[in-house]
Amino acid sequence: QVQVVESGGDLVQAGGSLRLSCAVSGSIVSINAMNWYRQGPGKERDVVATITRAGTTNYADSVKGRFTISRDNAKNTVYLQMNSLKPEDTGVYYCNADVWYTEGRNRLLRNYWGQGTQVTVSP
C-alpha cells in the first residue's frame, strides 16, 4: 500500500541543472531515511545522497558541492537538486526510503524503491 514515484529526469547538457522529486504515498505512519541512488551504464547501483528524518545529509564524494538533497516531511517527498552536471552523472536515479506503514491493524517497516528516472548529461 506504499508507492514511491520519482520524477524530473531529463536530457541536459553538461553544466546544466535538474531537480528530481520523489513522492511517497500510501498508508504511511512515518518515513525514516530517504536516499537517492544512481546506476550508470554498465555500473552498479550506488548511493548518491542520503537524508535522515531530522535533515542530516550525506553525499557521495563525486557529487559533493554540486548536489543537494532535501525533504518535506509534510509532503512525504524528497528532492535532489543537481547542479553543474557532468556526463558521468548520467544514469537512472532511484529513490529509496525506509517506511513505517499500516497493513490492517499491523504496523510494519519496509524498505521501498521507486521505479527510477533517467538522467542523461550530454557533453
Side-chain angles (χ1 to χ4, degrees), residues 58-72:
N58 284 287
Y59 299 92
D61 288 341
S62 61
V63 307
K64 287 181 179 177
R66 299 188 297 119
F67 290 11
T68 302
I69 188 172
S70 61
R71 65 191 287 171
D72 185 336

Side-chain angles (χ1 to χ4, degrees), residues 1 4 16 19 28 30 36 40-41 45 47 61 67 76 84 87 90-92 94 101-103 116 122:
Q1 294 184 4
V4 180
R19 185 176 186 251
I28 300 166
S30 63
W36 285 100
R45 186 180 300 184
V47 65
D61 288 341
F67 290 11
N76 292 323
S84 301
T90 293
V92 179
Y94 295 91
Y101 67 100
T102 56
E103 186 176 277
S122 62

Side-chain angles (χ1 to χ4, degrees), residues 2 5 16 25 38-39 42 46 58-59 63 70 77-78 83 85-86 90-91 93-94 97 99 104 108 111-112 119:
V2 175
V5 180
S25 61
R38 75 180 172 202
Q39 187 167 18
D46 294 321
N58 284 287
Y59 299 92
V63 307
S70 61
T77 300
V78 63
N83 299 324
L85 283 162
K86 304 175 181 179
T90 293
Y93 284 70
Y94 295 91
V99 182
L108 305 172
N111 184 258
Y112 286 89
V119 173

Side-chain angles (χ1 to χ4, degrees), residues 1-96:
Q1 294 184 4
V2 175
Q3 298 81 42
V4 180
V5 180
E6 305 98 331
S7 62
D10 206 350
L11 171 65
V12 64
Q13 291 184 336
S17 298
L18 286 173
R19 185 176 186 251
L20 306 183
S21 298
C22 170
V24 182
S25 61
S27 301
I28 300 166
V29 178
S30 63
I31 304 175
N32 292 345
M34 302 183 82
N35 318 287
W36 285 100
Y37 288 73
R38 75 180 172 202
Q39 187 167 18
K43 298 181 179 180
E44 297 181 347
R45 186 180 300 184
D46 294 321
V47 65
V48 173
T50 66
I51 185 168
T52 68
R53 181 171 179 82
T56 300
T57 60
N58 284 287
Y59 299 92
D61 288 341
S62 61
V63 307
K64 287 181 179 177
R66 299 188 297 119
F67 290 11
T68 302
I69 188 172
S70 61
R71 65 191 287 171
D72 185 336
N73 291 336
K75 297 180 179 179
N76 292 323
T77 300
V78 63
Y79 307 94
L80 187 67
Q81 178 66 48
M82 305 185 294
N83 299 324
S84 301
L85 283 162
K86 304 175 181 179
E88 50 261 46
D89 295 319
T90 293
V92 179
Y93 284 70
Y94 295 91
C95 181
N96 173 269

